[in-house]
Amino acid sequence: MTMYFADNAWLPQGWNENVRIEIDADGRFRDVREDLRRDGAEYLGRYVLPGMPNLHSHAFQRAMAGLAERQTHHEDSFWTWRETMYAFAGSIGPDALRAIAAQLYVEMLKAGYTQVCEFHYLHHRPDGKPYADPATMSLALIEAARETGIGLTLLPTLYMTGGFDGRPLSERQRRFGFDVDGYLRLLEQLRKMEDSTLCVGAALHSLRAVPESAMRTVLNSGLLDAAPIHIHIAEQIGEVQDCLTLRGARPVEWLLHHAPIDPRWCLVHATHMTQEETRRLAETGAVAGLCPTTEANLGDGLFPLRAYLDAGGVIGIGSDSHISVSPVEELRWLEYGQRLATRHRNIAVSDFSDSVGATLWGDALFGGAQASGRVIGAIEGDDSALTGAGPRADLLLLDHDAPLLAARDAGCLLDTFLFAGNANLVRHVMVDGAWVVRDFQHRDEERIAARYRETVMRLSDTV
Ligand code: NGQ
Ligand code: ZN
């Protein structure tokens, strides 16, 4: 049992002063109370925040950041980027995946993400044949997460067709493909590995890649019960048009009609929605998984944030293609996109807070935790003293020595952090009760970076 003390901590109702945080030997919050004296507790610092969940990641794509920013066609688009991405994906085996993911997870932790949802579809060998153990690539991600200490929500992804018309997978897509039975066996195998830092959910790659009957079989399999279910949806206009043509409805509209959308679901992107879809999605309590830096990078479009928040919608953030790995940048882009489009300021505020930074950080914590499964996303005590299992102790400390944060009280701290924090302000990070980042350094960053360098050097020889 360790007792910590912070001058200010972000508790479920917002900032509180003089907070004592008790963490038990199992890495769980036991008791959290404000307005107390330090009384011999270990001093944490001035500003303690819950760790941020990253609700959408394709880890392997981190190693191609910067390799798709040159014109390949007169009208480069999401679809031409996807060809570059597929070519790159073809070079990644289990060792490379582990090395890339571990480096990425170190960067995530240093930026303040303490949980990552891996939307994982790189299942088989590049030629499409399964590995001897069909979970080989999933296991590489689990190992990478364990090495770095980040919490992982693994979302093995069902991918079956190359488009709404049910066409077979292209050659480059073949390694993503599973039939439903094989997929359910993989889920079952991985579910057995769950522990305090590993949660296994499920993902349907997209309506393009999963036929309706397969979707039903997975949803009715009884394997998912309370597990999170993620799906890519309505990211591109082309997808909306194809869905209208072949299924007679827009993607979000179709999904709301044909699947039991509820708070277990995370709809990734949900960029292109009518007002009606926006309101109806918000009413389900599902999470809209927003990935603003990737959506900007790929030219996707802008999510209808104000209308969705007005309807009570839940949001979270993901770094997706990892063109950027920073919750600060995701949330800043989310707000700036809206400002540029509407020519107004201070869009993401709520009845609870007029601060954009506090609203966005708080909303993304809540929705990110919901999309991650069993993570709480809050610093709070164990109400159920009977179970003895409080929320997992994940937190981060901002660098209170940074000149930028001088003369900032809690009221404008998150606004300063999100809008002006370009140099990283995340100084220490704890996951599951253990320090993984201390004074801006991850506990194993040199070894992991050396292995990453070697790996990508080798890849660049082969691609
Ligand atoms: C993915 N990424 O699965 O990695 C997708 C591209 C697709 C994003 N949508 C492939 N950002 O959607 O078909
Ligand atoms: Zn994605």
Side-chain angles (χ1 to χ4, degrees):
M1 205 76 87
T2 312
M3 188 66 88
Y4 294 101
F5 179 85
D7 298 317
N8 301 274
W10 177 274
L11 304 186
Q13 30 344 337
W15 286 111
N16 280 265
E17 289 183 12
N18 301 316
V19 180
R20 277 166 69 93
I21 301 172
E22 192 179 346
I23 298 179
D24 67 23
D26 295 329
R28 310 222 152 222
F29 291 124
R30 180 45 78 139
D31 194 35
V32 178
R33 280 169 212 266
E34 66 275 13
D35 300 326
L36 291 176
R37 280 205 306 267
R38 187 174 156 192
D39 272 344
E42 185 175 326
Y43 182 60
L44 284 172
R46 258 170 67 196
Y47 299 112
V48 174
L49 291 168
M52 180 61 72
N54 185 336
L55 59 62
H56 194 64
S57 165
H58 309 287
F60 73 91
Q61 291 176 15
R62 175 57 171 171
M64 66 169 273
L67 297 184
E69 310 300 324
R70 284 168 173 264
Q71 198 170 61
T72 58
H73 293 77
H74 284 306
E75 297 216 341
D76 263 336
S77 68
F78 173 88
W79 306 103
T80 58
W81 167 84
R82 195 172 78 154
E83 288 308 314
T84 309
M85 185 271 279
Y86 282 172
F88 183 79
S91 66
I92 309 291
D95 292 344
L97 183 59
R98 178 177 178 177
I100 295 166
Q103 175 62 26
L104 171 67
Y105 297 162
V106 165
E107 289 169 21
M108 284 189 190
L109 287 164
K110 291 170 77 167
Y113 289 121
T114 48
Q115 179 83 13
V116 56
C117 301
E118 266 301 326
F119 197 107
H120 167 57
Y121 58 88
L122 225 54
H123 298 300
H124 308 306
R125 294 180 204 274
D127 65 3
K129 296 217 175 65
Y131 290 97
D133 178 354
T136 297
M137 295 293 266
S138 297
L139 297 176
L141 292 167
I142 292 173
E143 282 160 16
R146 290 197 170 142
E147 267 182 283
T148 61
I150 200 166
L152 174 64
T153 301
L154 183 61
L155 304 164
T157 301
L158 181 61
Y159 201 120
M160 299 175 71
T161 56
F164 280 103
D165 54 5
R167 78 186 82 135
L169 301 178
S170 68
E171 202 176 310
R172 283 168 156 181
Q173 292 170 329
R174 213 155 287 153
R175 67 181 309 200
F176 315 157
F178 256 118
D179 60 24
V180 176
D181 287 347
Y183 175 71
L184 293 176
R185 277 198 300 277
L186 175 70
L187 273 190
E188 240 181 327
Q189 178 181 349
L190 294 169
R191 287 295 286 276
K192 294 195 184 112
M193 299 179 70
E194 287 192 314
D195 60 21
S196 66
T197 53
L198 174 65
C199 171
V200 177
L204 309 173
H205 181 275
S206 54
L207 296 181
R208 287 174 269 132
V210 179
E212 182 179 352
S213 58
M215 177 182 89
R216 284 194 201 295
T217 311
V218 172
L219 296 180
N220 296 330
S221 66
L223 269 177
L224 301 182
D225 51 57
I229 308 166
H230 291 217
I231 184 169
H232 286 130
I233 198 144
E235 182 182 8
Q236 283 282 320
I237 294 289
E239 178 190 331
V240 177
Q241 283 163 347
D242 287 354
C243 193
L244 269 167
T245 309
L246 284 142
R247 295 200 184 173
R250 302 167 58 84
V252 172
E253 184 188 14
W254 189 92
L255 191 70
L256 289 169
H257 261 109
H258 292 85
I261 304 301
D262 66 15
R264 288 175 308 160
W265 285 74
C266 175
L267 275 66
V268 181
H269 309 301
T271 311
H272 299 288
M273 295 192 287
T274 61
Q275 285 179 359
E276 166 87 0
E277 288 174 301
T278 305
R279 185 182 51 74
R280 288 187 48 215
L281 176 59
E283 284 168 0
T284 64
V287 183
L290 308 178
C291 308
T293 62
T294 295
E295 289 156 8
N297 185 266
L298 299 181
D300 289 339
L302 276 180
F303 178 80
L305 184 68
R306 191 60 269 168
Y308 183 74
L309 293 179
D310 284 343
V314 181
I315 61 165
I317 50 162
S319 58
D320 190 352
S321 68
H322 314 299
I323 192 67
S324 167
V325 184
S326 154
V328 164
E329 210 186 353
E330 296 307 334
L331 294 173
R332 188 188 301 169
W333 267 96
L334 182 57
E335 170 72 15
Y336 277 174
Q338 305 293 319
R339 292 190 189 184
L340 288 163
T342 63
R343 288 175 270 147
H344 283 89
R345 301 189 69 251
N346 303 335
I347 313 286
V349 296
S350 71
D351 294 343
F352 307 105
S353 175
D354 57 5
S355 152
V356 175
T359 302
L360 286 177
W361 191 269
D363 284 6
L365 278 176
F366 180 84
Q370 187 178 313
S372 303
R374 292 168 297 130
V375 181
I376 300 297
I379 298 172
E380 60 183 332
D382 173 18
D383 290 335
S384 54
L386 287 176
T387 67
R392 196 176 82 196
D394 294 359
L395 53 82
L396 50 96
L397 275 114
L398 296 186
D399 180 21
H400 58 231
D401 294 333
L404 184 65
L405 297 186
R408 288 292 180 279
D409 62 14
C412 48
L413 188 86
L414 283 165
D415 293 325
T416 310
F417 177 42
L418 291 196
F419 289 102
N422 292 328
N424 186 16
L425 295 173
V426 176
R427 184 161 177 173
H428 310 298
V429 180
M430 174 187 284
V431 181
D432 202 23
W435 292 112
V436 289
V437 173
R438 276 298 218 176
D439 285 320
F440 307 102
Q441 293 265 319
H442 180 270
R443 62 182 187 201
D444 202 10
E445 68 173 58
E446 273 152 36
R447 185 185 64 84
I448 289 170
R451 187 179 62 186
Y452 174 82
R453 280 194 197 94
E454 224 174 82
T455 302
V456 291
M457 298 295 282
R458 215 172 325 114
L459 288 180
S460 68
D461 292 341
T462 57
V463 175

